[in-house]
Amino acid sequence: MSVNPDLNRRTLLRRAAAAGLLVTPAAGLLSACAGSTPSPSNDDAGQKSDDNPFGLQENSAVKVVIFNGGLGDAWAKEDQAIFSAKHGSVTVNMSSTQKIKTEEQPKMATTPSDLIMNSGADLMDLSTLVNEGAIEPLDDLLAAPAWEGGGTVADTLLPGTVSDGTFQGKFFVVYVAFTVWGNWYNGALFSKEGWAPPTSFEEFFALAPKIKAKGIAPYVYDAVHGYYPRWALMASIWKSAGKQAVVDIDNLKENAWRAEGVLPALEQWEKLVKDKLVLPGRLDHTQSQQAWLDGKAAFIQVGTWLKNEMAATIPPGFEMKLSDYWTVSAADKAPKDVFAGAGEGFVVPSKAPNKAAAKEFLRAVLSKAGSAKFAELTKSLASTKGSGDNVDDPALASANELMKNAGQDLISVKLWDFYADLDKESQNLSQELMAGRLTAAQFVDKMQAAADKVAKDSSITKQTRNA
């Protein structure tokens, strides 16, 4: 994927919003240019029914923008075919890009596209979109009948999909990919050497000398995009300190970064760097992934879009397998919780000319047929239940196995969606820690200071999570 998160595309990647990327409040996102007038909406022009719940007008047109990153865009073309089979007279103008913010944000105040996949490094900041009323609430989509019937759209979605897309009590973002994060390794190499994939940092540090003895670096990561290492850091914090600690961090609770278990989690990563277990070089996401595929490193942490992103360069006999993030110590409060959730979010601009068609297209995306094609083509789960049931792929199978053994809660972090400035600071500090320029204790101090600054700023709209 070209990179928000980050992903997390990626999930993936909705997490990657950078501070200051959107217009300032004074120049609000929805402040239309002088003399500009949005095209009239035709949302209510059609007859509403179970098969057309939004009153889509036939013979209309809908503009759909797809983020063409690690998951590609072939799956979206399948959704277009599913949509057109039911609504053949509706013209679907679909385009693909990696420059979502650059190309789509300037149009939000006038005549935006009808449906935008807001993902990648160049994504629009979600908190700003919500706070300025730039995107449409989609609760009616959740309540609509599922494409194939048998309940509502909400009934078909995997756990976390609705909550991940909910802000201020309303559902705004339809995440269509269900990403599982963890540590990837080459099963063929580990079988050949007789290595057991570690489940804890202790086991990893014990295995590392054996890996180095084979001329292989134990670990590699994307050192260019700060949200990549941050995924791993926050997963370790959740496992060590527990769910409530991360909920408190997201809610800007006083001294949340100093909770019991946070520092020990970060100290494991500090040790990994100090012990020189990282492949040298400042590699980005695809460079680090290729180095791993080339056998230069034993482990890389990333999400389940990995296989699709690197499909063209996977060596023969390479067995991509996913294992859970390593536990920190015997005192971990949530050792079995897995980092997984919905990603690759679609939004419908408030000023979109054809919101009805945009919502109807989303129904097609979330259909059983559409989600099955998504899993088949991307080798990653869709956010619709059962998407991977008929996909025969070892990498996806290892992700499914990981989910079967997951704890009660799924690891999730909201601060990077809630606060753009804090998000950017967390990325910067994660890079500094992994580069060895910051200790774990200094990381905690700086993150707490950054969180306190946001908490005390009355001009920033505060968000909260309960679970």
Side-chain angles (χ1 to χ4, degrees):
M1 173 175 293
S2 101
V3 250
N4 326 264
D6 259 276
L7 147 58
N8 340 215
R9 45 200 197 233
R10 303 158 147 79
T11 205
L12 198 156
L13 290 198
R14 67 186 191 275
R15 314 286 197 199
L21 293 183
L22 292 181
V23 293
T24 61
L29 200 66
L30 291 181
S31 299
C33 300
S36 64
T37 303
S39 298
S41 171
N42 54 23
D43 289 352
D44 298 322
Q47 182 66 40
K48 293 186 179 181
S49 65
D50 282 352
D51 214 34
N52 185 17
F54 311 111
L56 166 64
Q57 180 186 17
E58 299 298 337
N59 299 308
S60 63
V62 59
K63 181 168 175 54
V64 179
V65 179
I66 302 298
F67 171 70
N68 189 7
L71 298 175
D73 62 0
W75 58 272
K77 295 172 184 176
E78 296 289 340
D79 294 326
Q80 181 177 351
I82 292 169
F83 176 90
S84 296
K86 181 176 288 190
H87 302 290
S89 70
V90 177
T91 301
V92 179
N93 297 311
M94 180 182 289
S95 61
S96 301
T97 183
Q98 294 181 356
K99 297 295 183 181
I100 298 297
K101 179 182 68 69
T102 301
E103 297 176 8
E104 296 302 315
Q105 182 180 303
K107 298 183 289 187
M108 294 292 280
T110 54
T111 305
S113 301
D114 297 298
L115 182 60
I116 302 170
M117 186 177 178
N118 186 40
S119 190
D122 190 40
L123 87 174
M124 297 180 287
D125 174 50
L126 277 176
S127 61
T128 303
L129 293 175
V130 172
N131 292 338
E132 293 193 2
I135 53 177
E136 185 81 357
L138 299 173
D139 298 273
D140 56 345
L141 172 65
L142 296 178
W147 188 264
E148 291 94 352
T152 66
V153 169
D155 294 333
T156 69
L157 302 178
L158 286 170
T161 305
V162 174
S163 60
D164 282 349
T166 299
F167 296 80
Q168 300 175 359
K170 295 182 179 180
F171 182 68
F172 286 98
V173 188
V174 180
Y175 292 115
V176 297
F178 197 82
T179 300
V180 185
W181 282 265
N183 295 311
W184 291 87
Y185 65 97
N186 180 358
L189 171 66
F190 274 61
S191 295
K192 175 185 175 183
E193 299 296 342
W195 298 337
T199 60
S200 66
F201 271 100
E202 182 180 10
E203 292 176 357
F204 168 73
F205 289 130
L207 178 61
K210 298 177 183 178
I211 295 173
K212 292 184 73 173
K214 295 293 182 178
I216 304 170
Y219 191 80
V220 67
Y221 73 102
D222 177 353
V224 174
H225 303 101
Y227 48 91
Y228 272 78
R230 184 190 57 187
W231 288 327
L233 300 185
M234 293 306 300
S236 296
I237 288 173
W238 179 295
K239 284 180 174 290
S240 176
K243 174 181 178 178
Q244 188 59 49
V246 176
V247 170
D248 290 343
I249 285 173
D250 289 340
N251 289 340
L252 304 178
K253 183 177 179 180
E254 186 176 0
N255 287 323
W257 283 94
R258 304 190 192 284
E260 180 182 359
V262 173
L263 182 59
L266 296 169
E267 286 176 336
Q268 302 304 309
W269 293 101
E270 180 183 348
K271 174 177 170 58
L272 186 149
V273 175
K274 284 187 174 180
D275 287 357
K276 300 186 184 305
L277 303 181
V278 178
L279 182 69
R282 189 170 183 265
L283 308 178
D284 67 14
H285 59 294
T286 53
Q287 290 170 334
S288 59
Q289 289 161 190
Q290 190 59 53
W292 173 69
L293 288 172
D294 291 340
K296 296 178 181 178
F299 290 100
I300 187 169
Q301 74 86 29
V302 74
T304 42
W305 63 83
L306 175 63
K307 183 167 186 177
N308 191 68
E309 184 165 62
M310 305 303 292
T313 58
I314 299 173
F318 196 101
E319 296 179 10
M320 298 178 67
K321 290 194 173 182
L322 179 65
S323 61
D324 196 10
Y325 285 110
W326 304 312
T327 58
V328 175
S329 74
D332 283 359
K333 294 182 179 180
K336 290 190 175 182
D337 286 1
V338 171
F339 193 178
E344 305 303 331
F346 277 98
V347 296
V348 178
S350 297
K351 293 194 175 185
N354 199 351
K355 291 194 281 283
K359 295 174 186 179
E360 183 69 352
F361 195 91
L362 284 171
R363 268 211 321 149
V365 172
L366 298 172
S367 67
K368 292 179 181 178
S371 62
K373 277 295 183 181
F374 179 92
E376 175 188 338
L377 293 170
T378 68
K379 302 301 184 290
S380 184
L381 297 174
S383 57
T384 302
K385 296 174 183 175
S387 65
D389 288 352
N390 297 316
V391 179
D392 183 16
D393 179 78
L396 189 57
S398 67
N400 283 334
E401 184 66 23
L402 183 55
M403 290 302 299
K404 288 179 183 178
N405 297 314
Q408 180 177 357
D409 294 306
L410 295 178
I411 296 172
S412 65
V413 185
K414 300 290 190 181
L415 73 85
W416 38 56
D417 284 339
F418 284 174
Y419 308 107
D421 288 343
L422 191 55
D423 168 43
K424 186 61 177 178
E425 183 69 358
S426 73
Q427 293 184 44
N428 292 338
L429 295 179
S430 295
Q431 288 178 306
E432 291 297 290
L433 175 65
M434 292 302 296
R437 294 188 291 266
L438 207 63
T439 66
Q442 289 170 331
F443 180 96
V444 168
D445 288 342
K446 289 180 179 293
M447 278 305 306
Q448 187 60 62
D452 290 343
K453 182 179 179 181
V454 173
K456 294 173 182 177
D457 189 339
S458 60
S459 70
I460 298 176
T461 301
K462 303 303 189 293
Q463 308 271 2
T464 57
R465 64 178 290 190
N466 298 319

